[in-house]
Amino acid sequence: MSSDKKTRKEETLKEAVSDKANDKMPDIRDSETVSVQLKEERESQNDMSYDYEAETEFDYDEMCSLYEETLVNIEEGEVVKGKVIKILENDVLVDVGYKSEGTIPIEEFQKQGKEMALKEGDVIDVFLENIEDSDGLVVLSKEKADKIKIWDDLNKAYENETVIKGKVVKRIKGGLTVDIGIPAFLPGSQIDTKPIRNLDLMINEDIKVKIIKLNRKRGNIVVSRRSILEEERESKRIETIKNIAEGNLVKGIVKNITEYGVFIDLGGIDGLLHITDMSWGRIRHPSELFMIGDEVEVKVLKFDPETEKVSLGLKQKTVDPWEKADERYVIGNRIRAKVVSLTDYGAFVELEEGVEGLIHVSEMSWTKKIRHPSRVVAIGDVVEVIVLDVDKERKRISLGMKQTEPNPWLIIENKYKIGSKITGRVRNLTDFGAFVELEEGVDGLIHISDMSWTQRVKHPSDVIKKGERIEAVILNIDSKNERLSMGIKQLTPDPWLSVPEKYPIGSNCKCKVVKLIENGAIVELEEGIDGYIHISEISEEDINSPKDVLKEGDFIRAKIIRLDPENRKIGLSIRAHNKEQSDLELSNYNKKGEMLNTLDSAPLKEIIEAHAKAKQPIISVDEDLTVGEESHETESSGSDDISDSDDVKD
């Protein structure tokens, strides 16, 4: 062995002795000790035939052999144990039991945002990349060792279906990225048992997952959180079903909120808390009381083991306020309440939590006709009311606002007498009459039939106008129903009262044809007094239509043959009048005996017959009545009544 080689071996031995005094080589102390041991061994064999130079060379070979036996048998590409010898500024010196140490960049031990927890003497796992580099040092890697270990652990977890922990780091297309030592993919369908709208809320959240797919070559791992939740939910469901029963109080977490109620997770099974079972009071939306994630205690109202449907109640934990409502709210009591809702027919007010009453629109004012309660009250108003009725069974309380004030209709009877004349303003017109305001809030109705004795009024606007001040007579007062009837025609006497005296049956009168109808004619005896002439009473001859003989505007004479003052009907006949006139003339002629003796009666008879054949009524010679004289049309108020041809014919 050359001297240079011997020198290098000695240096290596000295380094090993000094650096590994407390390590895995307890039999090697220093070169002198080894030399003494070898010499004693030679002497014990009684072999003294060697020189010192040969003995020294033999000692170094033996020492190298013994040293190499102390080295750990390691191979490149393996994960081995190493001991931290020294922590330098940029590197960490690690002994893996080989003839030289290895260095690892200190960055591999530093985690982002955390201080390095490494210290000298720690035993760590490292990856042996190369036994010796160009500098004679072992090439090691902490990161690669960690990755290999992680993959080994993940592979075991995959094979054993073990639950592991991970942290959501970011959102990607189709799901989330979860850090379980290495990035893994969590599909959206495997995140939860129900869809999650905002996945960003899960970022940085620590979760439990199971590996459902692993490909080490491609570095691909797919995990599932849903399977864990389903398993946990199933175990909770079984336990919950054992303990659930109607009437029990249970705790749960608000899982979902809808318009009609709240779904509560009772532990593996969901229950519905309907909006009507949340409070005895009024609730517009469940979100007024609950938020997702709230823990609540509710009462089990109904449970169906077959379908596992659970109905829950919150208000049932307290006493129903309606149980003693009739004791607290006595009919006639005056109370204050808050308006909570408005409808077309009234306003609902809250008397206390869970107890509401209705103020109907008809109970809001004595005098005004309220079309909608919003014209009187608004939501949030505090009003004073009187209790009118309490129905505890149906949970209804009727209230009144107008009852808090005196009823003005009770004064009306004393203030206004039937038959008295009043003056008022026409407030409104309808098809059936006109409403006249006597005083603020008190209106009276003038029916269309009470506007004229003689004129047939088709619409109140033909007689009066809206806003006009008129005089009328009070006909009736109904304080109970708050109604007051008035009339205009009652201001003047009824002309029909004198008709029987002025136009008795059998009397003749002059009249004007005002209207021709299919089976007769309407005639005016005087203003407001109309009569009816049936077609059979117009002429001695048969005629097809009244127009064959008469026309509107003609002045004629006719005989009263029927009179009905109560129904305001007068029946007349032209034919009867003409016959009477003919008989009268003939009678007068017969009285003149001298003329009968000297003259043949044939000419007079011929004259009468010729006149009848002309189909013309015999007209009076009064200077103010001429056949065909033009006159303005006057519509009769009794035309429809008189047009009853059957009555006249009878």
Side-chain angles (χ1 to χ4, degrees), residues 355-411:
V355 179
E356 293 182 2
L358 171 65
I359 308 172
H360 196 271
V361 286
S362 62
E363 304 295 343
M364 290 186 172
S365 175
W366 289 113
T367 57
K368 296 179 180 179
K369 186 174 180 64
I370 310 299
R371 294 183 178 178
H372 196 275
S374 59
R375 297 191 174 187
V376 181
V377 295
I379 294 176
D381 288 352
V382 177
V383 295
E384 198 170 59
V385 293
I386 298 294
V387 179
L388 304 180
D389 186 50
V390 179
D391 188 344
K392 186 175 70 172
E393 299 300 325
R394 301 174 66 188
K395 297 184 177 181
R396 293 180 179 180
I397 296 179
S398 298
L399 306 168
M401 289 177 60
K402 68 183 183 182
Q403 288 78 5
T404 59
E405 300 175 354
N407 184 358
W409 282 93
L410 298 177
I411 308 172

Short mmCIF file of all heavy atoms in Angstrom, two decimals, residues 355-411:
data_model
loop_
_atom_site.label_atom_id
_atom_site.label_comp_id
_atom_site.label_asym_id
_atom_site.label_seq_id
_atom_site.Cartn_x
_atom_site.Cartn_y
_atom_site.Cartn_z
N VAL A 355 -103.05 36.51 19.22
CA VAL A 355 -104.49 36.81 19.25
C VAL A 355 -104.74 38.06 18.40
O VAL A 355 -104.22 39.14 18.70
CB VAL A 355 -105.00 37.04 20.68
CG1 VAL A 355 -106.49 37.38 20.66
CG2 VAL A 355 -104.75 35.81 21.54
N GLU A 356 -105.54 37.87 17.34
CA GLU A 356 -105.88 38.97 16.44
C GLU A 356 -107.39 39.10 16.34
O GLU A 356 -108.14 38.14 16.54
CB GLU A 356 -105.28 38.74 15.05
CG GLU A 356 -103.77 38.79 15.02
CD GLU A 356 -103.22 38.60 13.62
OE1 GLU A 356 -104.03 38.48 12.67
OE2 GLU A 356 -101.98 38.59 13.45
N GLY A 357 -107.82 40.30 16.00
CA GLY A 357 -109.23 40.57 15.80
C GLY A 357 -109.44 41.29 14.48
O GLY A 357 -108.51 41.88 13.91
N LEU A 358 -110.69 41.26 13.98
CA LEU A 358 -111.02 41.88 12.70
C LEU A 358 -111.93 43.08 12.91
O LEU A 358 -112.96 42.98 13.59
CB LEU A 358 -111.70 40.87 11.77
CG LEU A 358 -112.29 41.44 10.48
CD1 LEU A 358 -111.17 41.97 9.57
CD2 LEU A 358 -113.12 40.40 9.74
N ILE A 359 -111.53 44.21 12.30
CA ILE A 359 -112.41 45.37 12.22
C ILE A 359 -112.96 45.40 10.80
O ILE A 359 -112.25 45.72 9.85
CB ILE A 359 -111.65 46.69 12.50
CG1 ILE A 359 -110.88 46.60 13.82
CG2 ILE A 359 -112.62 47.86 12.52
CD1 ILE A 359 -109.97 47.79 14.07
N HIS A 360 -114.22 45.04 10.64
CA HIS A 360 -114.83 45.03 9.31
C HIS A 360 -115.01 46.47 8.82
O HIS A 360 -115.17 47.39 9.62
CB HIS A 360 -116.17 44.30 9.35
CG HIS A 360 -116.68 43.91 8.00
ND1 HIS A 360 -117.48 44.74 7.24
CD2 HIS A 360 -116.47 42.79 7.26
CE1 HIS A 360 -117.76 44.14 6.10
NE2 HIS A 360 -117.16 42.95 6.08
N VAL A 361 -115.00 46.64 7.49
CA VAL A 361 -115.13 48.00 6.94
C VAL A 361 -116.45 48.64 7.37
O VAL A 361 -116.53 49.87 7.52
CB VAL A 361 -115.02 47.98 5.40
CG1 VAL A 361 -113.60 47.77 4.95
CG2 VAL A 361 -115.94 46.92 4.80
N SER A 362 -117.47 47.82 7.58
CA SER A 362 -118.76 48.36 7.99
C SER A 362 -118.75 48.84 9.44
O SER A 362 -119.69 49.53 9.86
CB SER A 362 -119.85 47.31 7.80
OG SER A 362 -119.59 46.17 8.62
N GLU A 363 -117.70 48.49 10.18
CA GLU A 363 -117.61 48.88 11.59
C GLU A 363 -116.59 49.99 11.81
O GLU A 363 -116.16 50.23 12.93
CB GLU A 363 -117.24 47.67 12.45
CG GLU A 363 -118.17 46.47 12.33
CD GLU A 363 -119.57 46.77 12.84
OE1 GLU A 363 -119.74 47.77 13.56
OE2 GLU A 363 -120.49 46.00 12.51
N MET A 364 -116.21 50.67 10.72
CA MET A 364 -115.18 51.70 10.85
C MET A 364 -115.76 53.11 10.97
O MET A 364 -115.13 53.99 11.53
CB MET A 364 -114.23 51.63 9.67
CG MET A 364 -113.33 50.40 9.67
SD MET A 364 -112.11 50.42 8.36
CE MET A 364 -111.12 48.98 8.80
N SER A 365 -116.94 53.33 10.42
CA SER A 365 -117.52 54.68 10.47
C SER A 365 -119.04 54.58 10.47
O SER A 365 -119.63 53.74 9.79
CB SER A 365 -117.06 55.51 9.27
OG SER A 365 -117.70 56.76 9.23
N TRP A 366 -119.68 55.48 11.25
CA TRP A 366 -121.14 55.53 11.27
C TRP A 366 -121.69 56.16 10.01
O TRP A 366 -122.77 55.80 9.53
CB TRP A 366 -121.61 56.36 12.47
CG TRP A 366 -121.41 55.72 13.82
CD1 TRP A 366 -120.57 56.14 14.80
CD2 TRP A 366 -122.08 54.56 14.33
NE1 TRP A 366 -120.65 55.33 15.89
CE2 TRP A 366 -121.58 54.34 15.63
CE3 TRP A 366 -123.04 53.69 13.82
CZ2 TRP A 366 -122.02 53.29 16.43
CZ3 TRP A 366 -123.48 52.64 14.62
CH2 TRP A 366 -122.98 52.45 15.89
N THR A 367 -120.97 57.12 9.49
CA THR A 367 -121.53 57.96 8.43
C THR A 367 -120.89 57.76 7.07
O THR A 367 -121.56 57.89 6.05
CB THR A 367 -121.37 59.44 8.83
OG1 THR A 367 -119.97 59.72 9.07
CG2 THR A 367 -122.15 59.75 10.09
N LYS A 368 -119.60 57.41 7.03
CA LYS A 368 -118.91 57.28 5.74
C LYS A 368 -118.97 55.85 5.23
O LYS A 368 -118.89 54.90 6.01
CB LYS A 368 -117.45 57.71 5.87
CG LYS A 368 -117.27 59.16 6.23
CD LYS A 368 -115.80 59.52 6.36
CE LYS A 368 -115.61 60.97 6.73
NZ LYS A 368 -114.17 61.32 6.89
N LYS A 369 -119.09 55.71 3.92
CA LYS A 369 -119.07 54.39 3.30
C LYS A 369 -117.61 54.09 2.94
O LYS A 369 -117.07 54.64 1.97
CB LYS A 369 -119.96 54.37 2.05
CG LYS A 369 -120.09 52.98 1.46
CD LYS A 369 -121.08 52.99 0.31
CE LYS A 369 -121.23 51.60 -0.30
NZ LYS A 369 -121.78 50.60 0.63
N ILE A 370 -116.98 53.24 3.71
CA ILE A 370 -115.56 52.94 3.54
C ILE A 370 -115.40 51.86 2.46
O ILE A 370 -115.88 50.73 2.64
CB ILE A 370 -114.91 52.47 4.86
CG1 ILE A 370 -115.24 53.46 5.98
CG2 ILE A 370 -113.41 52.32 4.68
CD1 ILE A 370 -114.75 54.86 5.74
N ARG A 371 -114.77 52.19 1.38
CA ARG A 371 -114.55 51.22 0.30
C ARG A 371 -113.36 50.31 0.60
O ARG A 371 -113.35 49.15 0.23
CB ARG A 371 -114.33 51.94 -1.03
CG ARG A 371 -115.57 52.69 -1.50
CD ARG A 371 -115.33 53.33 -2.85
NE ARG A 371 -116.52 54.01 -3.33
CZ ARG A 371 -116.57 54.68 -4.48
NH1 ARG A 371 -115.49 54.75 -5.25
NH2 ARG A 371 -117.69 55.28 -4.86
N HIS A 372 -112.33 50.87 1.24
CA HIS A 372 -111.15 50.07 1.61
C HIS A 372 -110.60 50.58 2.94
O HIS A 372 -110.56 51.81 3.16
CB HIS A 372 -110.07 50.16 0.52
CG HIS A 372 -109.02 49.10 0.63
ND1 HIS A 372 -107.91 49.24 1.44
CD2 HIS A 372 -108.91 47.88 0.04
CE1 HIS A 372 -107.16 48.14 1.34
NE2 HIS A 372 -107.75 47.31 0.49
N PRO A 373 -110.20 49.67 3.83
CA PRO A 373 -109.73 50.11 5.16
C PRO A 373 -108.51 51.02 5.11
O PRO A 373 -108.25 51.74 6.07
CB PRO A 373 -109.42 48.79 5.86
CG PRO A 373 -109.30 47.76 4.79
CD PRO A 373 -110.21 48.20 3.69
N SER A 374 -107.75 50.99 4.01
CA SER A 374 -106.55 51.84 3.92
C SER A 374 -106.91 53.32 3.93
O SER A 374 -106.03 54.16 4.14
CB SER A 374 -105.77 51.50 2.64
OG SER A 374 -106.57 51.69 1.49
N ARG A 375 -108.19 53.65 3.68
CA ARG A 375 -108.59 55.05 3.73
C ARG A 375 -108.78 55.54 5.17
O ARG A 375 -108.91 56.74 5.39
CB ARG A 375 -109.91 55.23 2.97
CG ARG A 375 -109.80 54.92 1.49
CD ARG A 375 -111.03 55.37 0.75
NE ARG A 375 -110.89 55.20 -0.69
CZ ARG A 375 -111.75 55.65 -1.60
NH1 ARG A 375 -112.83 56.29 -1.18
NH2 ARG A 375 -111.55 55.44 -2.88
N VAL A 376 -108.78 54.60 6.10
CA VAL A 376 -108.99 54.97 7.51
C VAL A 376 -107.76 54.66 8.36
O VAL A 376 -107.36 55.48 9.19
CB VAL A 376 -110.23 54.24 8.07
CG1 VAL A 376 -110.47 54.63 9.52
CG2 VAL A 376 -111.46 54.53 7.22
N VAL A 377 -107.16 53.47 8.14
CA VAL A 377 -106.02 53.04 8.97
C VAL A 377 -104.89 52.56 8.07
O VAL A 377 -105.08 52.30 6.88
CB VAL A 377 -106.43 51.91 9.94
CG1 VAL A 377 -107.44 52.42 10.95
CG2 VAL A 377 -106.97 50.72 9.17
N ALA A 378 -103.70 52.42 8.67
CA ALA A 378 -102.52 51.90 7.97
C ALA A 378 -101.84 50.87 8.86
O ALA A 378 -102.02 50.88 10.09
CB ALA A 378 -101.56 53.03 7.62
N ILE A 379 -101.08 49.97 8.24
CA ILE A 379 -100.35 48.95 9.00
C ILE A 379 -99.39 49.63 9.97
O ILE A 379 -98.62 50.51 9.58
CB ILE A 379 -99.60 48.00 8.05
CG1 ILE A 379 -100.60 47.19 7.22
CG2 ILE A 379 -98.69 47.06 8.83
CD1 ILE A 379 -99.95 46.29 6.19
N GLY A 380 -99.46 49.22 11.21
CA GLY A 380 -98.62 49.81 12.25
C GLY A 380 -99.36 50.79 13.13
O GLY A 380 -98.88 51.13 14.22
N ASP A 381 -100.54 51.26 12.69
CA ASP A 381 -101.33 52.18 13.50
C ASP A 381 -101.86 51.49 14.76
O ASP A 381 -102.22 50.32 14.73
CB ASP A 381 -102.52 52.73 12.70
CG ASP A 381 -102.09 53.71 11.62
OD1 ASP A 381 -100.90 54.08 11.61
OD2 ASP A 381 -102.94 54.11 10.80
N VAL A 382 -101.89 52.24 15.84
CA VAL A 382 -102.51 51.76 17.08
C VAL A 382 -103.87 52.43 17.18
O VAL A 382 -103.97 53.66 17.20
CB VAL A 382 -101.64 52.07 18.31
CG1 VAL A 382 -102.35 51.62 19.58
CG2 VAL A 382 -100.28 51.38 18.19
N VAL A 383 -104.94 51.62 17.22
CA VAL A 383 -106.30 52.16 17.20
C VAL A 383 -107.06 51.70 18.44
O VAL A 383 -106.70 50.71 19.08
CB VAL A 383 -107.05 51.69 15.93
CG1 VAL A 383 -106.40 52.28 14.69
CG2 VAL A 383 -107.09 50.17 15.84
N GLU A 384 -108.11 52.45 18.75
CA GLU A 384 -108.98 52.12 19.87
C GLU A 384 -110.23 51.46 19.33
O GLU A 384 -110.86 51.97 18.39
CB GLU A 384 -109.34 53.37 20.66
CG GLU A 384 -109.87 53.08 22.05
CD GLU A 384 -109.99 54.35 22.87
OE1 GLU A 384 -110.73 55.25 22.43
OE2 GLU A 384 -109.34 54.44 23.93
N VAL A 385 -110.59 50.31 19.88
CA VAL A 385 -111.73 49.55 19.37
C VAL A 385 -112.58 49.04 20.52
O VAL A 385 -112.17 49.04 21.68
CB VAL A 385 -111.24 48.35 18.51
CG1 VAL A 385 -110.57 48.82 17.24
CG2 VAL A 385 -110.31 47.45 19.32
N ILE A 386 -113.78 48.59 20.14
CA ILE A 386 -114.72 47.98 21.09
C ILE A 386 -114.89 46.52 20.70
O ILE A 386 -115.06 46.20 19.51
CB ILE A 386 -116.08 48.70 21.08
CG1 ILE A 386 -115.92 50.16 21.50
CG2 ILE A 386 -117.07 47.99 21.98
CD1 ILE A 386 -115.50 50.36 22.92
N VAL A 387 -114.85 45.62 21.70
CA VAL A 387 -115.06 44.19 21.42
C VAL A 387 -116.54 43.97 21.14
O VAL A 387 -117.40 44.24 21.98
CB VAL A 387 -114.60 43.33 22.61
CG1 VAL A 387 -114.85 41.85 22.31
CG2 VAL A 387 -113.13 43.56 22.91
N LEU A 388 -116.84 43.45 19.94
CA LEU A 388 -118.23 43.20 19.54
C LEU A 388 -118.62 41.74 19.73
O LEU A 388 -119.76 41.45 20.10
CB LEU A 388 -118.43 43.60 18.07
CG LEU A 388 -118.07 45.05 17.69
CD1 LEU A 388 -118.32 45.28 16.22
CD2 LEU A 388 -118.86 46.04 18.54
N ASP A 389 -117.69 40.82 19.46
CA ASP A 389 -118.01 39.40 19.58
C ASP A 389 -116.72 38.59 19.73
O ASP A 389 -115.68 38.97 19.17
CB ASP A 389 -118.78 38.92 18.35
CG ASP A 389 -119.26 37.48 18.49
OD1 ASP A 389 -119.86 37.16 19.52
OD2 ASP A 389 -118.98 36.67 17.58
N VAL A 390 -116.78 37.49 20.50
CA VAL A 390 -115.63 36.61 20.72
C VAL A 390 -116.07 35.18 20.44
O VAL A 390 -117.02 34.69 21.05
CB VAL A 390 -115.07 36.73 22.15
CG1 VAL A 390 -113.90 35.77 22.33
CG2 VAL A 390 -114.64 38.16 22.44
N ASP A 391 -115.37 34.52 19.50
CA ASP A 391 -115.62 33.12 19.18
C ASP A 391 -114.33 32.34 19.46
O ASP A 391 -113.45 32.25 18.60
CB ASP A 391 -116.04 32.97 17.72
CG ASP A 391 -116.52 31.55 17.39
OD1 ASP A 391 -116.23 30.64 18.18
OD2 ASP A 391 -117.15 31.37 16.33
N LYS A 392 -114.23 31.82 20.68
CA LYS A 392 -112.99 31.15 21.10
C LYS A 392 -112.74 29.89 20.29
O LYS A 392 -111.59 29.57 19.97
CB LYS A 392 -113.07 30.82 22.59
CG LYS A 392 -111.77 30.25 23.14
CD LYS A 392 -111.84 30.06 24.64
CE LYS A 392 -112.78 28.92 25.01
NZ LYS A 392 -112.71 28.60 26.45
N GLU A 393 -113.79 29.16 19.95
CA GLU A 393 -113.62 27.91 19.22
C GLU A 393 -113.06 28.14 17.83
O GLU A 393 -112.16 27.43 17.38
CB GLU A 393 -114.97 27.18 19.13
CG GLU A 393 -115.57 26.81 20.47
CD GLU A 393 -114.66 25.89 21.27
OE1 GLU A 393 -113.98 25.05 20.64
OE2 GLU A 393 -114.63 26.01 22.50
N ARG A 394 -113.57 29.15 17.14
CA ARG A 394 -113.12 29.46 15.78
C ARG A 394 -111.96 30.45 15.77
O ARG A 394 -111.47 30.84 14.72
CB ARG A 394 -114.28 29.99 14.95
CG ARG A 394 -115.45 29.02 14.84
CD ARG A 394 -116.63 29.63 14.15
NE ARG A 394 -116.33 29.94 12.75
CZ ARG A 394 -117.14 30.63 11.95
NH1 ARG A 394 -118.29 31.10 12.43
NH2 ARG A 394 -116.82 30.85 10.70
N LYS A 395 -111.59 30.90 16.97
CA LYS A 395 -110.48 31.84 17.14
C LYS A 395 -110.72 33.12 16.33
O LYS A 395 -109.90 33.53 15.50
CB LYS A 395 -109.14 31.20 16.73
CG LYS A 395 -108.77 30.02 17.62
CD LYS A 395 -107.40 29.46 17.27
CE LYS A 395 -107.04 28.32 18.23
NZ LYS A 395 -105.71 27.77 17.95
N ARG A 396 -111.87 33.73 16.62
CA ARG A 396 -112.24 34.96 15.93
C ARG A 396 -112.77 35.98 16.94
O ARG A 396 -113.55 35.63 17.83
CB ARG A 396 -113.30 34.71 14.86
CG ARG A 396 -112.80 33.87 13.69
CD ARG A 396 -113.90 33.67 12.66
NE ARG A 396 -113.43 32.88 11.53
CZ ARG A 396 -114.19 32.55 10.49
NH1 ARG A 396 -115.46 32.93 10.45
NH2 ARG A 396 -113.70 31.83 9.50
N ILE A 397 -112.33 37.23 16.77
CA ILE A 397 -112.82 38.33 17.60
C ILE A 397 -113.24 39.45 16.66
O ILE A 397 -112.44 39.91 15.84
CB ILE A 397 -111.75 38.82 18.59
CG1 ILE A 397 -111.39 37.72 19.58
CG2 ILE A 397 -112.24 40.06 19.32
CD1 ILE A 397 -110.34 38.13 20.58
N SER A 398 -114.49 39.89 16.79
CA SER A 398 -115.00 41.00 15.98
C SER A 398 -114.87 42.29 16.77
O SER A 398 -115.26 42.34 17.94
CB SER A 398 -116.46 40.76 15.59
OG SER A 398 -116.58 39.59 14.80
N LEU A 399 -114.33 43.30 16.11
CA LEU A 399 -114.09 44.58 16.76
C LEU A 399 -114.74 45.70 15.95
O LEU A 399 -115.03 45.55 14.76
CB LEU A 399 -112.58 44.83 16.88
CG LEU A 399 -111.76 43.74 17.57
CD1 LEU A 399 -110.28 43.99 17.36
CD2 LEU A 399 -112.09 43.68 19.05
N GLY A 400 -114.97 46.83 16.62
CA GLY A 400 -115.55 47.99 15.94
C GLY A 400 -114.85 49.27 16.34
O GLY A 400 -114.54 49.47 17.52
N MET A 401 -114.63 50.13 15.34
CA MET A 401 -114.04 51.44 15.61
C MET A 401 -115.13 52.49 15.81
O MET A 401 -115.00 53.38 16.66
CB MET A 401 -113.12 51.86 14.46
CG MET A 401 -111.82 51.08 14.37
SD MET A 401 -110.84 51.56 12.93
CE MET A 401 -110.57 53.30 13.26
N LYS A 402 -116.19 52.39 15.00
CA LYS A 402 -117.22 53.43 15.07
C LYS A 402 -117.95 53.40 16.41
O LYS A 402 -118.51 54.43 16.83
CB LYS A 402 -118.20 53.26 13.91
CG LYS A 402 -119.08 52.01 13.97
CD LYS A 402 -119.97 51.92 12.74
CE LYS A 402 -120.92 50.71 12.82
NZ LYS A 402 -121.76 50.60 11.60
N GLN A 403 -117.94 52.26 17.10
CA GLN A 403 -118.64 52.15 18.37
C GLN A 403 -117.98 52.96 19.47
O GLN A 403 -118.55 53.13 20.55
CB GLN A 403 -118.74 50.68 18.80
CG GLN A 403 -119.73 49.86 17.98
CD GLN A 403 -119.21 49.44 16.63
OE1 GLN A 403 -118.05 49.68 16.32
NE2 GLN A 403 -120.03 48.79 15.82
N THR A 404 -116.76 53.44 19.22
CA THR A 404 -116.10 54.29 20.21
C THR A 404 -116.67 55.71 20.20
O THR A 404 -116.34 56.52 21.07
CB THR A 404 -114.59 54.36 19.94
OG1 THR A 404 -114.36 54.88 18.62
CG2 THR A 404 -113.96 52.97 20.03
N GLU A 405 -117.55 56.02 19.22
CA GLU A 405 -118.19 57.33 19.10
C GLU A 405 -119.71 57.16 19.08
O GLU A 405 -120.21 56.08 18.72
CB GLU A 405 -117.72 58.04 17.82
CG GLU A 405 -116.22 58.27 17.76
CD GLU A 405 -115.80 58.86 16.42
OE1 GLU A 405 -116.68 58.96 15.53
OE2 GLU A 405 -114.63 59.22 16.27
N PRO A 406 -120.46 58.22 19.44
CA PRO A 406 -121.94 58.12 19.41
C PRO A 406 -122.44 57.89 17.99
O PRO A 406 -121.86 58.39 17.02
CB PRO A 406 -122.40 59.48 19.95
CG PRO A 406 -121.22 60.03 20.67
CD PRO A 406 -120.01 59.51 19.98
N ASN A 407 -123.54 57.15 17.87
CA ASN A 407 -124.13 56.88 16.57
C ASN A 407 -124.98 58.07 16.13
O ASN A 407 -126.01 58.35 16.74
CB ASN A 407 -125.00 55.62 16.65
CG ASN A 407 -125.55 55.23 15.30
OD1 ASN A 407 -125.32 55.89 14.30
ND2 ASN A 407 -126.28 54.13 15.26
N PRO A 408 -124.56 58.77 15.07
CA PRO A 408 -125.32 59.96 14.65
C PRO A 408 -126.72 59.61 14.14
O PRO A 408 -127.61 60.46 14.14
CB PRO A 408 -124.46 60.55 13.53
CG PRO A 408 -123.65 59.41 13.03
CD PRO A 408 -123.40 58.54 14.21
N TRP A 409 -126.94 58.36 13.75
CA TRP A 409 -128.25 57.97 13.23
C TRP A 409 -129.31 57.92 14.34
O TRP A 409 -130.51 57.95 14.05
CB TRP A 409 -128.16 56.62 12.53
CG TRP A 409 -127.56 56.75 11.15
CD1 TRP A 409 -126.26 56.62 10.80
CD2 TRP A 409 -128.27 57.08 9.95
NE1 TRP A 409 -126.09 56.83 9.45
CE2 TRP A 409 -127.32 57.11 8.90
CE3 TRP A 409 -129.61 57.34 9.66
CZ2 TRP A 409 -127.66 57.40 7.58
CZ3 TRP A 409 -129.96 57.63 8.33
CH2 TRP A 409 -129.00 57.66 7.32
N LEU A 410 -128.83 57.82 15.58
CA LEU A 410 -129.79 57.87 16.68
C LEU A 410 -130.34 59.28 16.88
O LEU A 410 -131.43 59.47 17.42
CB LEU A 410 -129.12 57.38 17.98
CG LEU A 410 -128.62 55.93 17.96
CD1 LEU A 410 -127.92 55.61 19.27
CD2 LEU A 410 -129.77 54.96 17.70
N ILE A 411 -129.58 60.27 16.42
CA ILE A 411 -130.01 61.67 16.53
C ILE A 411 -130.86 62.07 15.34
O ILE A 411 -131.68 62.99 15.43
CB ILE A 411 -128.76 62.59 16.64
CG1 ILE A 411 -127.84 62.09 17.75
CG2 ILE A 411 -129.15 64.03 16.88
CD1 ILE A 411 -126.52 62.81 17.81
#
